Amino acid sequence: MARQAASSTPDISVVVPVFDEEGAAPALAREIASAFKGRNYEMIFVDDASRDGTRAALKALSAEIPQLRVLSHRKNAGQSRALRSGILSARGAIIVTLDGDGQNDPADGPALADALAAGPPELALVGGERVKRQDSAAKKVASRVGNGVRKRLLRDTANDTGCGLKAFRREAFLRLPYFDHIHRYLPALMQREGYRTAFRPVNHRHRQSGASKYTNLGRLWASLSDLMGVIWLQSRARDPGGVDEV
């Protein structure tokens, strides 16, 4: 895609939620700019009421990276809400999301966006599946168990919904029922709406700064109630088989 003037509507909106990531966010923004260079895109960082210098560090990059937009929550609302704030503000038809800790590799983002754009209209999401994960053994085991249980119960075909690197159609996302932690259930919810999903292997990196905002126990507790909620949503879905104007 040829790069267009900054005032034109972007094709792709890269959305990154951040909370207390002063050490990682500026470098990540520069990596995103390098990965998407030559494309018609915008980059939206959503600061979820950080307590450090994250917002100021990102704002200082605006002159260096004209595609960068910085949104800020007035109070902390969590990763899913930060993503939704960015997506609601986004102007691109294709959304690419990354975690703000730098463990997702921005170099994988364009390939996911291209795979989505090249697919049929019913393909709404291309998700990343992390290979050679750079996490602790306990975190990898917990993730493997959680993904296995979720995949069996929801039949969403996804091996790794915890990967923050995804490309999806903004219009499709806005059709989904919103709830906290929705970002972990996007494949199942997209399929509930009649869309198709696909997955591609992506790189995963060590965290270079900051600390994880989640614990295995906290993630498990949230996942149990969320999983039951998504199962209920699936049970209440009705498929009209298509809509025709007559």
Side-chain angles (χ1 to χ4, degrees):
M1 286 177 270
R3 185 173 181 177
Q4 299 178 16
S7 61
S8 68
T9 301
D11 300 317
I12 300 169
S13 295
V14 183
V15 178
V16 186
V18 285
F19 175 61
D20 289 353
E21 295 290 359
E22 181 181 4
L28 180 59
R30 290 187 176 101
E31 283 192 280
I32 292 169
S34 177
F36 285 86
K37 184 178 180 180
R39 293 170 180 259
N40 182 28
Y41 79 100
E42 66 177 353
M43 183 193 320
I44 304 174
F45 273 70
V46 184
D47 175 43
D48 190 25
S50 292
R51 300 160 297 186
D52 62 3
T54 299
R55 180 174 58 179
L58 287 169
K59 188 63 178 175
L61 283 176
S62 297
E64 177 185 330
I65 306 174
Q67 295 86 356
L68 174 62
R69 299 169 58 196
V70 182
L71 307 182
S72 181
H73 283 170
R74 294 174 185 172
K75 63 180 183 179
N76 183 265
Q79 183 176 355
S80 282
R81 192 60 183 83
L83 282 168
R84 188 167 187 264
S85 293
I87 294 164
L88 287 172
S89 181
R91 297 176 296 149
I94 289 179
I95 304 293
V96 174
T97 63
L98 299 92
D99 287 341
D101 57 14
Q103 288 194 266
N104 295 142
D105 191 341
D108 289 317
L112 296 186
D114 289 345
L116 179 63
E122 60 268 23
L123 178 65
L125 177 147
V126 179
E129 291 185 348
R130 293 166 289 186
V131 296
K132 299 180 180 179
R133 284 189 60 179
Q134 305 300 312
D135 285 321
S136 67
K139 191 171 183 179
K140 286 189 281 189
V141 169
S143 181
R144 190 178 303 117
V145 172
N147 275 310
V149 171
R150 187 216 69 256
K151 185 177 179 181
R152 182 178 180 85
L153 292 177
L154 299 184
R155 302 183 299 278
D156 60 10
T157 71
N159 293 320
D160 182 17
T161 59
C163 180
L165 187 52
K166 298 179 176 73
F168 50 84
R169 302 188 191 278
R170 180 176 182 270
E171 179 186 10
F173 177 88
L174 296 178
R175 291 175 179 265
L176 307 181
Y178 171 75
F179 55 90
D180 198 20
H181 298 130
I182 185 179
H183 62 281
R184 297 186 179 278
Y185 298 93
L186 290 183
L189 294 170
M190 292 285 190
Q191 291 166 18
R192 177 181 180 268
E193 290 295 320
Y195 294 112
R196 288 171 49 193
T197 59
F199 306 92
R200 296 171 61 102
V202 296
N203 188 29
H204 192 239
R205 310 186 296 192
H206 285 289
R207 174 186 270 274
Q208 298 297 318
S209 64
S212 175
K213 310 306 185 293
Y214 300 98
T215 64
N216 286 339
L217 184 60
R219 187 182 289 108
L220 174 63
W221 180 254
S223 296
L224 290 175
S225 60
D226 294 340
L227 188 57
M228 294 303 103
V230 176
I231 290 173
W232 181 84
L233 284 170
Q234 287 181 325
S235 74
R236 304 304 295 167
R238 299 290 295 272
D239 182 7
V243 180
D244 300 308
E245 184 171 351
V246 297

